[in-house]
Amino acid sequence: LSTGGQRSEENWKIARSKLIWLWNWGTSSEVGMGVFRKISRAGYEKDILEALVVAARKSLFIRKWKVSNNLPAQQVVLAIYLSQNPTDHHLSAKEIEQVILSTALNHYDNATNGNRTRGSLRKASDIIRSFSPSFPSSKPFARLSALITATHNMSTYKLTLQHGVPFKPVNIRVSPDPILLIEKILAQNPGSYAQVQDLLGIASNLVSSGLVPLSPHSNHDTSPLDNSMTPEQEDSLRSRTEQRVLSLAVEAALAEDDFETAYSYVVNWLSPSTSNYMNNGTSPSSSVSCNNDPNIPWRAALLAGKHKSPHTQPLRRLEQRMDLLSSALQLAPAPVL
């Protein structure tokens, strides 16, 4: 049904009725009696709903090329499964939400291109955009939308994984720490450290997707649909992640001998007066556990302060390096001083 040609809303309703008839022979029995009786009614309805969601996405695609407000399959989903007075479909609101999200996520995982206007990622994006108004308070919908946005923005950069394997969207989901992909972007795209606002936006959306671990040693949940972070934890994680990305940008700038940009990032975003790294709920013990992590503000300030350019260093450069070393001392936790 979902792979055939376009159907009207009435044709979709008739098709669904025939499928239900094949399950219970048209009786009101809650127990299947037809040729599909061995399938649970809930499982049966989920398969029908998934077909409608896929067909709704195709209707949305065609509407972009033909001026029409008719989205038959989507209207059937709204009328039967998401209306104020739904028909008896044996599915809870949570189950309906899960089917729609899982269908979109399946398209996401099969995408070979991170551009949201192409291929399977476009399908995932269309599904989320079509049905998110029906779930305005859904955190999983918001998380998957954030993941798609982050993926799309990452696709504008060159990104190759180990052994020349091209980046695919699913690599974000299987990564134990997706922020490491930003480190690869900085390494593989000369001058990309100057696009720090764009990289911070990607990092923020990755945090919103629920895929960034609370700590380097925490268990990694590879699904944006199930995440138990509290708003406070998410805010704290976003702050720490921004500090990590800025520190990575400092290192990338130094690697390309752009001391002025590195200095600007440390002074304006990572200095003791502007950084909230030590006041974001991170305990001294957890700070010590990250001492070997180069992607933290005090170490970035230290590296910038130690940087020696092969070019002539004027007096101002020496003063700047002194400022950076001072910031490193103020940012560093006591055990590493």
Side-chain angles (χ1 to χ4, degrees), residues 194-221:
Q195 308 298 323
V196 70
Q197 292 287 6
D198 185 34
L199 297 175
L200 287 172
I202 292 173
S204 179
N205 277 308
L206 287 175
V207 171
S208 296
S209 75
L211 295 181
V212 179
L214 282 170
S215 72
H217 307 292
S218 62
N219 293 328
H220 177 62
D221 181 2

PDB file of all heavy atoms in Angstrom, residues 194-221:
ATOM      1  N   ALA A 194      37.427  28.940  12.571  1.00  0.00           N
ATOM      2  CA  ALA A 194      36.876  30.296  12.526  1.00  0.00           C
ATOM      3  C   ALA A 194      35.345  30.278  12.518  1.00  0.00           C
ATOM      4  O   ALA A 194      34.708  31.290  12.810  1.00  0.00           O
ATOM      5  CB  ALA A 194      37.398  31.041  11.297  1.00  0.00           C
ATOM      6  N   GLN A 195      34.745  29.113  12.183  1.00  0.00           N
ATOM      7  CA  GLN A 195      33.283  28.975  12.171  1.00  0.00           C
ATOM      8  C   GLN A 195      32.795  28.462  13.522  1.00  0.00           C
ATOM      9  O   GLN A 195      31.949  27.566  13.590  1.00  0.00           O
ATOM     10  CB  GLN A 195      32.868  28.019  11.056  1.00  0.00           C
ATOM     11  CG  GLN A 195      33.422  28.352   9.698  1.00  0.00           C
ATOM     12  CD  GLN A 195      32.952  29.699   9.194  1.00  0.00           C
ATOM     13  OE1 GLN A 195      31.803  30.082   9.418  1.00  0.00           O
ATOM     14  NE2 GLN A 195      33.831  30.434   8.542  1.00  0.00           N
ATOM     15  N   VAL A 196      33.324  29.031  14.591  1.00  0.00           N
ATOM     16  CA  VAL A 196      33.062  28.470  15.917  1.00  0.00           C
ATOM     17  C   VAL A 196      31.585  28.567  16.306  1.00  0.00           C
ATOM     18  O   VAL A 196      31.059  27.679  16.978  1.00  0.00           O
ATOM     19  CB  VAL A 196      33.962  29.148  16.975  1.00  0.00           C
ATOM     20  CG1 VAL A 196      33.552  30.601  17.210  1.00  0.00           C
ATOM     21  CG2 VAL A 196      33.948  28.370  18.280  1.00  0.00           C
ATOM     22  N   GLN A 197      30.902  29.612  15.864  1.00  0.00           N
ATOM     23  CA  GLN A 197      29.479  29.731  16.196  1.00  0.00           C
ATOM     24  C   GLN A 197      28.684  28.600  15.561  1.00  0.00           C
ATOM     25  O   GLN A 197      27.763  28.044  16.175  1.00  0.00           O
ATOM     26  CB  GLN A 197      28.939  31.088  15.722  1.00  0.00           C
ATOM     27  CG  GLN A 197      29.495  32.290  16.472  1.00  0.00           C
ATOM     28  CD  GLN A 197      28.925  32.402  17.884  1.00  0.00           C
ATOM     29  OE1 GLN A 197      28.200  31.528  18.348  1.00  0.00           O
ATOM     30  NE2 GLN A 197      29.256  33.467  18.579  1.00  0.00           N
ATOM     31  N   ASP A 198      29.028  28.239  14.336  1.00  0.00           N
ATOM     32  CA  ASP A 198      28.362  27.126  13.659  1.00  0.00           C
ATOM     33  C   ASP A 198      28.650  25.813  14.385  1.00  0.00           C
ATOM     34  O   ASP A 198      27.750  24.995  14.601  1.00  0.00           O
ATOM     35  CB  ASP A 198      28.853  27.052  12.215  1.00  0.00           C
ATOM     36  CG  ASP A 198      28.111  26.000  11.406  1.00  0.00           C
ATOM     37  OD1 ASP A 198      26.908  25.807  11.663  1.00  0.00           O
ATOM     38  OD2 ASP A 198      28.719  25.369  10.534  1.00  0.00           O
ATOM     39  N   LEU A 199      29.907  25.625  14.797  1.00  0.00           N
ATOM     40  CA  LEU A 199      30.278  24.401  15.509  1.00  0.00           C
ATOM     41  C   LEU A 199      29.604  24.327  16.874  1.00  0.00           C
ATOM     42  O   LEU A 199      29.197  23.248  17.320  1.00  0.00           O
ATOM     43  CB  LEU A 199      31.800  24.335  15.664  1.00  0.00           C
ATOM     44  CG  LEU A 199      32.592  24.249  14.353  1.00  0.00           C
ATOM     45  CD1 LEU A 199      34.088  24.301  14.625  1.00  0.00           C
ATOM     46  CD2 LEU A 199      32.234  22.983  13.582  1.00  0.00           C
ATOM     47  N   LEU A 200      29.461  25.473  17.534  1.00  0.00           N
ATOM     48  CA  LEU A 200      28.755  25.503  18.820  1.00  0.00           C
ATOM     49  C   LEU A 200      27.282  25.149  18.635  1.00  0.00           C
ATOM     50  O   LEU A 200      26.678  24.490  19.479  1.00  0.00           O
ATOM     51  CB  LEU A 200      28.891  26.873  19.472  1.00  0.00           C
ATOM     52  CG  LEU A 200      30.264  27.222  20.054  1.00  0.00           C
ATOM     53  CD1 LEU A 200      30.306  28.679  20.498  1.00  0.00           C
ATOM     54  CD2 LEU A 200      30.595  26.304  21.230  1.00  0.00           C
ATOM     55  N   GLY A 201      26.700  25.594  17.517  1.00  0.00           N
ATOM     56  CA  GLY A 201      25.310  25.245  17.222  1.00  0.00           C
ATOM     57  C   GLY A 201      25.143  23.754  17.007  1.00  0.00           C
ATOM     58  O   GLY A 201      24.168  23.155  17.481  1.00  0.00           O
ATOM     59  N   ILE A 202      26.089  23.144  16.301  1.00  0.00           N
ATOM     60  CA  ILE A 202      26.053  21.691  16.097  1.00  0.00           C
ATOM     61  C   ILE A 202      26.142  20.979  17.442  1.00  0.00           C
ATOM     62  O   ILE A 202      25.386  20.048  17.731  1.00  0.00           O
ATOM     63  CB  ILE A 202      27.203  21.250  15.175  1.00  0.00           C
ATOM     64  CG1 ILE A 202      26.980  21.775  13.757  1.00  0.00           C
ATOM     65  CG2 ILE A 202      27.328  19.724  15.162  1.00  0.00           C
ATOM     66  CD1 ILE A 202      28.148  21.532  12.813  1.00  0.00           C
ATOM     67  N   ALA A 203      27.083  21.431  18.277  1.00  0.00           N
ATOM     68  CA  ALA A 203      27.263  20.804  19.587  1.00  0.00           C
ATOM     69  C   ALA A 203      26.010  20.931  20.444  1.00  0.00           C
ATOM     70  O   ALA A 203      25.595  19.984  21.118  1.00  0.00           O
ATOM     71  CB  ALA A 203      28.452  21.432  20.305  1.00  0.00           C
ATOM     72  N   SER A 204      25.379  22.108  20.417  1.00  0.00           N
ATOM     73  CA  SER A 204      24.169  22.323  21.211  1.00  0.00           C
ATOM     74  C   SER A 204      23.045  21.394  20.763  1.00  0.00           C
ATOM     75  O   SER A 204      22.333  20.820  21.588  1.00  0.00           O
ATOM     76  CB  SER A 204      23.720  23.787  21.086  1.00  0.00           C
ATOM     77  OG  SER A 204      22.541  24.019  21.829  1.00  0.00           O
ATOM     78  N   ASN A 205      22.899  21.208  19.448  1.00  0.00           N
ATOM     79  CA  ASN A 205      21.868  20.299  18.943  1.00  0.00           C
ATOM     80  C   ASN A 205      22.186  18.847  19.261  1.00  0.00           C
ATOM     81  O   ASN A 205      21.276  18.044  19.506  1.00  0.00           O
ATOM     82  CB  ASN A 205      21.698  20.489  17.428  1.00  0.00           C
ATOM     83  CG  ASN A 205      20.782  21.648  17.077  1.00  0.00           C
ATOM     84  OD1 ASN A 205      19.664  21.735  17.580  1.00  0.00           O
ATOM     85  ND2 ASN A 205      21.253  22.543  16.236  1.00  0.00           N
ATOM     86  N   LEU A 206      23.468  18.501  19.285  1.00  0.00           N
ATOM     87  CA  LEU A 206      23.841  17.144  19.668  1.00  0.00           C
ATOM     88  C   LEU A 206      23.485  16.882  21.128  1.00  0.00           C
ATOM     89  O   LEU A 206      23.028  15.795  21.490  1.00  0.00           O
ATOM     90  CB  LEU A 206      25.336  16.917  19.435  1.00  0.00           C
ATOM     91  CG  LEU A 206      25.778  16.789  17.973  1.00  0.00           C
ATOM     92  CD1 LEU A 206      27.285  16.689  17.878  1.00  0.00           C
ATOM     93  CD2 LEU A 206      25.120  15.574  17.314  1.00  0.00           C
ATOM     94  N   VAL A 207      23.675  17.887  21.969  1.00  0.00           N
ATOM     95  CA  VAL A 207      23.274  17.753  23.371  1.00  0.00           C
ATOM     96  C   VAL A 207      21.756  17.606  23.454  1.00  0.00           C
ATOM     97  O   VAL A 207      21.235  16.752  24.173  1.00  0.00           O
ATOM     98  CB  VAL A 207      23.748  18.960  24.196  1.00  0.00           C
ATOM     99  CG1 VAL A 207      23.144  18.916  25.605  1.00  0.00           C
ATOM    100  CG2 VAL A 207      25.278  18.982  24.288  1.00  0.00           C
ATOM    101  N   SER A 208      21.039  18.436  22.703  1.00  0.00           N
ATOM    102  CA  SER A 208      19.572  18.369  22.713  1.00  0.00           C
ATOM    103  C   SER A 208      19.060  17.026  22.209  1.00  0.00           C
ATOM    104  O   SER A 208      17.971  16.587  22.594  1.00  0.00           O
ATOM    105  CB  SER A 208      18.991  19.497  21.846  1.00  0.00           C
ATOM    106  OG  SER A 208      19.311  20.766  22.376  1.00  0.00           O
ATOM    107  N   SER A 209      19.838  16.369  21.353  1.00  0.00           N
ATOM    108  CA  SER A 209      19.415  15.066  20.825  1.00  0.00           C
ATOM    109  C   SER A 209      19.503  13.967  21.869  1.00  0.00           C
ATOM    110  O   SER A 209      18.936  12.885  21.687  1.00  0.00           O
ATOM    111  CB  SER A 209      20.281  14.680  19.623  1.00  0.00           C
ATOM    112  OG  SER A 209      21.578  14.267  20.033  1.00  0.00           O
ATOM    113  N   GLY A 210      20.234  14.219  22.955  1.00  0.00           N
ATOM    114  CA  GLY A 210      20.364  13.223  24.005  1.00  0.00           C
ATOM    115  C   GLY A 210      21.464  12.211  23.763  1.00  0.00           C
ATOM    116  O   GLY A 210      21.556  11.219  24.495  1.00  0.00           O
ATOM    117  N   LEU A 211      22.309  12.434  22.758  1.00  0.00           N
ATOM    118  CA  LEU A 211      23.340  11.453  22.420  1.00  0.00           C
ATOM    119  C   LEU A 211      24.708  11.763  23.025  1.00  0.00           C
ATOM    120  O   LEU A 211      25.614  10.936  22.944  1.00  0.00           O
ATOM    121  CB  LEU A 211      23.474  11.346  20.895  1.00  0.00           C
ATOM    122  CG  LEU A 211      22.255  10.805  20.157  1.00  0.00           C
ATOM    123  CD1 LEU A 211      22.533  10.719  18.660  1.00  0.00           C
ATOM    124  CD2 LEU A 211      21.856   9.440  20.686  1.00  0.00           C
ATOM    125  N   VAL A 212      24.869  12.949  23.608  1.00  0.00           N
ATOM    126  CA  VAL A 212      26.147  13.288  24.233  1.00  0.00           C
ATOM    127  C   VAL A 212      26.132  12.746  25.659  1.00  0.00           C
ATOM    128  O   VAL A 212      25.226  13.063  26.434  1.00  0.00           O
ATOM    129  CB  VAL A 212      26.381  14.811  24.240  1.00  0.00           C
ATOM    130  CG1 VAL A 212      27.705  15.150  24.922  1.00  0.00           C
ATOM    131  CG2 VAL A 212      26.373  15.348  22.818  1.00  0.00           C
ATOM    132  N   PRO A 213      27.115  11.919  26.043  1.00  0.00           N
ATOM    133  CA  PRO A 213      27.106  11.338  27.397  1.00  0.00           C
ATOM    134  C   PRO A 213      27.320  12.405  28.460  1.00  0.00           C
ATOM    135  O   PRO A 213      27.998  13.412  28.230  1.00  0.00           O
ATOM    136  CB  PRO A 213      28.272  10.343  27.355  1.00  0.00           C
ATOM    137  CG  PRO A 213      29.178  10.864  26.292  1.00  0.00           C
ATOM    138  CD  PRO A 213      28.281  11.490  25.267  1.00  0.00           C
ATOM    139  N   LEU A 214      26.721  12.179  29.632  1.00  0.00           N
ATOM    140  CA  LEU A 214      26.876  13.131  30.728  1.00  0.00           C
ATOM    141  C   LEU A 214      28.331  13.257  31.164  1.00  0.00           C
ATOM    142  O   LEU A 214      28.771  14.301  31.613  1.00  0.00           O
ATOM    143  CB  LEU A 214      26.011  12.697  31.918  1.00  0.00           C
ATOM    144  CG  LEU A 214      24.517  13.012  31.810  1.00  0.00           C
ATOM    145  CD1 LEU A 214      23.741  12.315  32.912  1.00  0.00           C
ATOM    146  CD2 LEU A 214      24.276  14.510  31.853  1.00  0.00           C
ATOM    147  N   SER A 215      29.067  12.167  31.038  1.00  0.00           N
ATOM    148  CA  SER A 215      30.491  12.189  31.350  1.00  0.00           C
ATOM    149  C   SER A 215      31.186  11.204  30.424  1.00  0.00           C
ATOM    150  O   SER A 215      30.535  10.324  29.853  1.00  0.00           O
ATOM    151  CB  SER A 215      30.739  11.802  32.809  1.00  0.00           C
ATOM    152  OG  SER A 215      30.500  10.417  32.995  1.00  0.00           O
ATOM    153  N   PRO A 216      32.506  11.331  30.248  1.00  0.00           N
ATOM    154  CA  PRO A 216      33.211  10.426  29.334  1.00  0.00           C
ATOM    155  C   PRO A 216      33.069   8.958  29.700  1.00  0.00           C
ATOM    156  O   PRO A 216      33.248   8.093  28.870  1.00  0.00           O
ATOM    157  CB  PRO A 216      34.669  10.892  29.446  1.00  0.00           C
ATOM    158  CG  PRO A 216      34.587  12.308  29.903  1.00  0.00           C
ATOM    159  CD  PRO A 216      33.383  12.364  30.797  1.00  0.00           C
ATOM    160  N   HIS A 217      32.748   8.668  30.968  1.00  0.00           N
ATOM    161  CA  HIS A 217      32.691   7.284  31.417  1.00  0.00           C
ATOM    162  C   HIS A 217      31.258   6.788  31.645  1.00  0.00           C
ATOM    163  O   HIS A 217      31.053   5.680  32.121  1.00  0.00           O
ATOM    164  CB  HIS A 217      33.479   7.128  32.719  1.00  0.00           C
ATOM    165  CG  HIS A 217      34.880   7.647  32.624  1.00  0.00           C
ATOM    166  ND1 HIS A 217      35.839   7.050  31.843  1.00  0.00           N
ATOM    167  CD2 HIS A 217      35.464   8.731  33.184  1.00  0.00           C
ATOM    168  CE1 HIS A 217      36.977   7.728  31.943  1.00  0.00           C
ATOM    169  NE2 HIS A 217      36.769   8.752  32.744  1.00  0.00           N
ATOM    170  N   SER A 218      30.265   7.630  31.305  1.00  0.00           N
ATOM    171  CA  SER A 218      28.879   7.212  31.539  1.00  0.00           C
ATOM    172  C   SER A 218      28.415   6.296  30.421  1.00  0.00           C
ATOM    173  O   SER A 218      28.980   6.271  29.327  1.00  0.00           O
ATOM    174  CB  SER A 218      27.957   8.439  31.612  1.00  0.00           C
ATOM    175  OG  SER A 218      27.967   9.140  30.384  1.00  0.00           O
ATOM    176  N   ASN A 219      27.358   5.526  30.710  1.00  0.00           N
ATOM    177  CA  ASN A 219      26.805   4.634  29.696  1.00  0.00           C
ATOM    178  C   ASN A 219      26.200   5.453  28.567  1.00  0.00           C
ATOM    179  O   ASN A 219      25.554   6.480  28.785  1.00  0.00           O
ATOM    180  CB  ASN A 219      25.728   3.730  30.317  1.00  0.00           C
ATOM    181  CG  ASN A 219      26.318   2.750  31.306  1.00  0.00           C
ATOM    182  OD1 ASN A 219      27.457   2.305  31.150  1.00  0.00           O
ATOM    183  ND2 ASN A 219      25.555   2.414  32.335  1.00  0.00           N
ATOM    184  N   HIS A 220      26.408   5.002  27.348  1.00  0.00           N
ATOM    185  CA  HIS A 220      25.943   5.738  26.173  1.00  0.00           C
ATOM    186  C   HIS A 220      24.650   5.144  25.655  1.00  0.00           C
ATOM    187  O   HIS A 220      24.581   3.960  25.351  1.00  0.00           O
ATOM    188  CB  HIS A 220      27.019   5.694  25.084  1.00  0.00           C
ATOM    189  CG  HIS A 220      26.613   6.356  23.803  1.00  0.00           C
ATOM    190  ND1 HIS A 220      26.307   7.695  23.735  1.00  0.00           N
ATOM    191  CD2 HIS A 220      26.454   5.863  22.554  1.00  0.00           C
ATOM    192  CE1 HIS A 220      25.986   8.004  22.487  1.00  0.00           C
ATOM    193  NE2 HIS A 220      26.066   6.911  21.754  1.00  0.00           N
ATOM    194  N   ASP A 221      23.612   5.964  25.574  1.00  0.00           N
ATOM    195  CA  ASP A 221      22.329   5.538  25.012  1.00  0.00           C
ATOM    196  C   ASP A 221      22.300   5.966  23.552  1.00  0.00           C
ATOM    197  O   ASP A 221      22.395   7.160  23.258  1.00  0.00           O
ATOM    198  CB  ASP A 221      21.186   6.194  25.784  1.00  0.00           C
ATOM    199  CG  ASP A 221      19.819   5.778  25.264  1.00  0.00           C
ATOM    200  OD1 ASP A 221      19.790   4.953  24.333  1.00  0.00           O
ATOM    201  OD2 ASP A 221      18.820   6.268  25.788  1.00  0.00           O
TER     202      ASP A 221
END
